[in-house]
Amino acid sequence: HQCVFFLARSETIRFRTLQCFVLNGVIFLGSILLFNFAIEPALSVLRRFVQEDEAWATDFIAASFSVLYKLLWIYPIYCIS
């Protein structure tokens, strides 16, 4: 198809395409790593400070935060890129 022809022939288009892939990868993977290695562990630490009879509330908050993060950030980024 014609887009492959332009990609193969134009160094500028190849460079911009590579920049786009790298930028999207950094934003997408960086946000996933931030959530998995910073936000979720922080929520786990907060759960330890809550009494046992109120642990369901922190579990609910953590699960809700995870769902909202995926619905409002990960899925839209994936669809846009």
Side-chain angles (χ1 to χ4, degrees), residues 56-67:
W56 67 271
T58 56
D59 291 338
F60 176 75
I61 291 171
S64 299
F65 193 77
S66 178
V67 168

Side-chain angles (χ1 to χ4, degrees), residues 18-57:
L18 179 64
Q19 280 183 327
C20 180
F21 277 113
V22 169
L23 181 62
N24 284 335
V26 167
I27 291 172
F28 190 68
L29 292 176
S31 66
I32 290 172
L33 292 173
L34 175 71
F35 183 78
N36 288 341
F37 293 111
I39 296 173
E40 276 189 340
L43 289 174
S44 295
V45 168
L46 290 175
R47 278 187 223 149
R48 292 184 200 145
F49 294 118
V50 177
Q51 297 175 356
E52 282 296 318
D53 57 337
E54 297 173 353
W56 67 271

